[in-house]
């Protein structure tokens, strides 16, 4: 199997607060995990690539100080949205790539609403 | 020109129809091709994975890759209402590193009417 979980599935927070989203590969090890954002009726937008034990690589236009990524183990990566604002409201999806493979397995997503 | 082009649809078909979904790409270095299915408000689910040119069949799904034309297809036979979802193609050059990262199409929204 290749199961990826995300927690929480849904979060509502107030503007200015920080939110942490966890992504876990449950039955395989993932050297690399990815974080995507998806706006309604739009495709996936890659935000950053997270490698276990090293700094994340951010896509152009994504603020690394705002979206903090930590990949401390082969099964867990976290995304922290710092000082969230309403424009950060979106569907955040993580994926994990099995070590030595290139297909990605996605988590169920986290819907973030900032009020 | 975008690296991966995919018609966003929407595509509406009657139950039982054969569905054809397609993507074109510009980077001849792509070797690995995938199709994902995404239901509304869910993460994408890997459906098919193929390497280089050729066909691959899995149940009602057939994936085709024509590298000479830079064209990939996903066929769904005997389509069911439960197939209603957005289908994303994805491709990469290699394993590992940035060349292993997937480039996604924008997705085609499919609706199968009972």
């Amino acid at each position: 199997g290749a199961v990826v979980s995300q927690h929480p599935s849904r979060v509502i927070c107030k503007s200015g607060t920080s939110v942490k989203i966890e992504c876990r590969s449950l039955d395989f090890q993932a050297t690399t995990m990815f974080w995507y954002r998806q706006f309604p009726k739009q495709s996936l937008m890659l935000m950053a690539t997270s490698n276990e034990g090293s700094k994340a690589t951010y896509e152009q236009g994504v603020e690394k100080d705002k979206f903090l990524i930590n990949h401390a183990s082969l099964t867990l990566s976290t995304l922290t949205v710092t000082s969230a604002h309403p424009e950060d409201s979106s569907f955040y999806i993580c994926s994990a790539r099995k070590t030595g493979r290139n297909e990605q397995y996605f988590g169920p997503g986290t819907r973030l609403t900032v009020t | 020109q975008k690296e991966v082009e995919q018609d966003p649809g929407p595509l509406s078909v009657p139950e039982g129809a054969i569905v054809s979904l397609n993507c074109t790409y510009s980077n001849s270095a792509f070797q690995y091709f995938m199709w994902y299915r995404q239901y509304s408000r869910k993460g994408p689910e890997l459906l098919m994975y193929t390497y280089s040119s050729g066909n691959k069949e899995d149940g009602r799904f057939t994936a085709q890759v024509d590298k000479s034309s830079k064209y990939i297809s996903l066929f769904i036979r005997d389509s069911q209402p439960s197939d209603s979802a957005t289908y994303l193609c994805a491709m990469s050059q290699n394993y590992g590193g940035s060349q292993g990262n997937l480039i996604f199409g924008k997705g085609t929204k499919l609706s199968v009417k009972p």
Side-chain angles (χ1 to χ4, degrees), chain B residues 53-114:
Chain B
S53 286
N55 294 358
K56 185 174 183 179
E57 188 173 320
D58 184 1
R60 295 185 295 113
F61 298 91
T62 299
Q64 276 187 359
V65 175
D66 182 350
K67 288 191 70 180
S68 62
S69 303
K70 299 192 186 69
Y71 188 88
I72 69 169
S73 301
L74 177 70
F75 297 97
I76 307 175
R77 290 184 298 281
D78 187 25
S79 56
Q80 303 294 311
S82 58
D83 295 328
S84 299
T86 296
Y87 290 80
L88 300 115
C89 63
M91 47 200 80
S92 73
Q93 294 183 46
N94 214 329
Y95 287 152
S98 61
Q99 290 191 339
N101 289 0
L102 297 181
I103 307 300
F104 285 89
K106 288 193 176 298
T108 299
K109 186 170 185 178
L110 171 67
S111 178
V112 181
K113 305 293 186 185

Side-chain angles (χ1 to χ4, degrees), chain A residues 56-76:
Chain A
T57 303
Y58 290 82
E59 295 299 301
Q60 193 172 9
V62 178
E63 300 174 59
K64 63 180 180 181
D65 294 330
K66 181 169 184 62
F67 298 99
L68 301 179
I69 291 171
N70 184 274
H71 191 160
S73 79
L74 288 172
T75 59
L76 173 65

Side-chain angles (χ1 to χ4, degrees), chain A residues 38-44, chain B residues 6-11 19 21 23 34-47 61 74 76 81-90 104-112:
Chain A
Q38 188 175 38
F39 293 105
K41 299 183 180 180
Q42 306 248 335
S43 189
L44 301 167
Chain B
Q6 185 176 10
D7 187 337
L11 179 62
V19 176
L21 304 166
C23 288
M34 281 144 262
W35 284 95
Y36 286 84
R37 177 176 62 195
Q38 185 177 22
Y39 292 112
S40 182
R41 300 184 182 184
K42 300 289 185 184
E45 170 194 9
L46 180 63
L47 276 181
F61 298 91
L74 177 70
I76 307 175
S82 58
D83 295 328
S84 299
T86 296
Y87 290 80
L88 300 115
C89 63
F104 285 89
K106 288 193 176 298
T108 299
K109 186 170 185 178
L110 171 67
S111 178
V112 181

Side-chain angles (χ1 to χ4, degrees), chain A residues 33-36 45-50 56-59 62 69:
Chain A
M33 290 185 171
F34 303 85
W35 287 95
Y36 294 85
M45 187 189 81
L46 180 64
M47 298 175 65
T49 303
S50 166
T57 303
Y58 290 82
E59 295 299 301
V62 178
I69 291 171

